[in-house]
């Protein structure tokens, strides 16, 4: 009988819900050996809700030979040290976004995984949504022609109680606001589809809608190396919240990816309408209001990557590029800058 892929979970807060659902659905392939939180109450609630085993000490996860990989779901400012511990223990890592709270810590995290020779996958599951995969194939087939404009919009709603949670939306714990916490999903999807822009000019503010340290509204104008232009908007002020949108305009047609729905209109009269089938977006009052379908696909890819000695579909290096893009938007202040390694500008 083939050995199941053994996983240990670190962090049992709000983000653990879709992961637990996905892991349970993949029970024929993946075995959750232990789950840890420093909070005894969270451990008990997680075990009662999902019927999964829990550990009282984090060392139990790193020292267990049955565990092949660690799923890290803790706040961003803890990621570097936990990945370093996993690297020292020879455990592969599937890490909830973002990498960490700063460019410097994020680079050290990726380098630690590379030096140890462990797989580092990042939980940016929207790439695995069927509608996003379909759009990727349309681009690969050249059906839209040469792109001339790219738009990525994140219009979420978070009420003040969301930011009243200790540390949420702060630089120290989360590394910032809407860009690094929410819009990173859509920015990763955008750059996976069309690449990193060559030049960025952006603005970011904290609006009167929220009392928080990080930004809750950001906009940016983009120029790509091939001459295409683009725009980014990201906010958690858009009541009641809408699904992420990516719109592409090309020389042969245009396409609109609206959450889990894709529509493309080609100059020859062809209309391609594709229903992705998965549900929810997490854009409204319930941040976890989405299905675990994409998480299941991401976890399956990660387990396959480890088994076959290849890189996961979403790597640490991939997401460093998105971190540089976000840093460039925040540093710009309306002045065009280049997202570049190590500096963000």
């Amino acid at each position: 009988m083939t050995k199941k892929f053994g996983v240990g979970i670190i962090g049992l807060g709000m983000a653990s819900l879709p992961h637990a659902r996905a892991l349970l659905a993949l029970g024929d392939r993946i075995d959750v050996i232990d789950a840890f939180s420093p909070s005894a109450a969270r451990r008990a609630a997680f075990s009662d809700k999902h019927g999964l085993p829990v550990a009282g000490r984090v060392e139990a996860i790193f020292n267990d030979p049955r565990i092949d990989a660690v799923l890290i779901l803790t706040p961003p400012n803890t990621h570097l040290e936990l990945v370093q511990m996993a690297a020292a223990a020879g455990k592969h890592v599937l890490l909830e976004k973002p990498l960490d709270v700063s460019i410097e810590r994020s680079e050290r995290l990726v380098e630690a995984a590379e030096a140890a020779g462990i797989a580092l996958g990042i939980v940016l599951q929207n790439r695995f949504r069927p509608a996003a995969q379909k759009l990727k194939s349309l681009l690969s087939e050249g059906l839209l022609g040469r792109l001339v404009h790219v738009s990525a919009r994140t219009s979420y709603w978070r009420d003040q109680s969301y930011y009243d949670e200790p540390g949420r939306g702060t630089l120290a714990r989360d590394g910032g606001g809407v860009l690094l916490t929410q819009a990173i999903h859509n920015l990763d999807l955008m750059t996976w589809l069309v690449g990193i822009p060559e030049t960025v000019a952006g603005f970011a503010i904290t609006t009167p809608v929220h009392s928080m340290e990080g930004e809750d509204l950001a906009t940016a104008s983009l120029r790509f190396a091939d001459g295409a232009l683009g725009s980014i908007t990201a906010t958690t002020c858009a009541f009641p919240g809408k699904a992420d949108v990516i719109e592409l305009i090309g020389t042969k047609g245009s396409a609109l990816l609206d959450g889990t729905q894709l529509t493309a209109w080609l100059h020859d009269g062809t209309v391609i309408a594709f229903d992705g089938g998965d549900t929810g977006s997490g854009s409204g009052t319930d941040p976890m209001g989405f299905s675990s379908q994409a998480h299941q696909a991401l976890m399956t890819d990660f387990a396959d990557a480890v088994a076959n000695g290849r890189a996961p579909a979403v790597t640490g290096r991939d997401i460093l590029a998105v971190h540089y893009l976000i840093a460039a938007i925040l540093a710009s202040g309306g002045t065009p800058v280049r997202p570049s390694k190590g500096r963000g500008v």
Side-chain angles (χ1 to χ4, degrees), residues 206-221:
T206 306
T207 73
V209 175
H210 296 121
S211 176
M212 57 184 292
E213 184 179 13
E215 79 289 347
D216 63 358
L217 175 63
T219 66
S221 295

Side-chain angles (χ1 to χ4, degrees), residues 4-151:
K4 290 185 180 182
F5 188 66
V7 169
I9 305 173
I10 301 176
L12 303 179
M14 179 175 62
S16 67
L17 178 60
H19 295 88
R21 288 174 175 168
L23 288 164
L24 289 170
L26 296 170
D28 61 338
R29 170 77 186 277
I30 299 176
D31 191 12
V32 178
I33 306 297
D34 259 330
F36 170 78
S37 167
S39 165
R42 282 190 174 179
R43 293 197 300 270
F46 182 85
S47 181
D48 290 345
K49 184 176 184 63
H50 303 294
L52 294 171
V54 294
R57 299 173 64 249
V58 71
E59 291 79 8
I61 289 177
F62 292 118
N63 295 334
D64 194 325
R66 299 172 298 167
I67 292 177
D68 301 297
V70 180
L71 175 59
I72 298 176
L73 308 176
T74 55
N77 65 339
T78 66
H79 288 180
L80 171 60
E81 287 75 20
L82 288 171
V83 170
Q84 289 173 331
M85 292 173 69
K91 308 292 188 188
H92 304 289
V93 173
L94 185 55
L95 179 68
E96 181 61 73
K97 57 74 187 168
L99 290 169
D100 207 291
V101 297
S102 70
I103 292 291
E104 186 269 337
R105 283 178 61 86
S106 297
E107 290 178 331
R108 287 170 59 195
L109 185 155
V110 172
E111 290 163 1
E114 291 175 345
I118 62 170
L120 173 63
I122 312 301
V123 181
L124 285 160
Q125 71 278 359
N126 288 358
R127 289 195 197 187
F128 291 88
R129 286 184 161 175
Q133 298 273 331
K134 179 68 173 178
L135 179 54
K136 182 74 166 178
S137 71
L138 295 185
L139 290 171
S140 298
E141 295 166 19
L143 294 183
L144 299 183
R146 178 180 170 181
L147 294 182
V148 297
H149 190 263
V150 176
S151 173

Side-chain angles (χ1 to χ4, degrees), residues 7 52 62 88 161-162 167 185 230 255 281 302 318 337 340 342:
V7 169
L52 294 171
F62 292 118
S161 65
Y162 175 85
H185 282 289
S281 64
F302 182 75
D318 291 337
V337 297
S340 61

Side-chain angles (χ1 to χ4, degrees), residues 213-257:
E213 184 179 13
E215 79 289 347
D216 63 358
L217 175 63
T219 66
S221 295
L222 318 173
R223 180 183 290 275
F224 292 85
D226 63 0
L229 300 182
S231 63
I232 292 168
T233 59
T235 187
T236 52
C237 303
F239 181 83
K242 302 180 182 69
D244 286 323
V245 170
I246 289 181
E247 186 174 20
L248 306 179
I249 301 173
T251 57
K252 295 182 180 180
S254 62
L256 181 69
L257 178 62

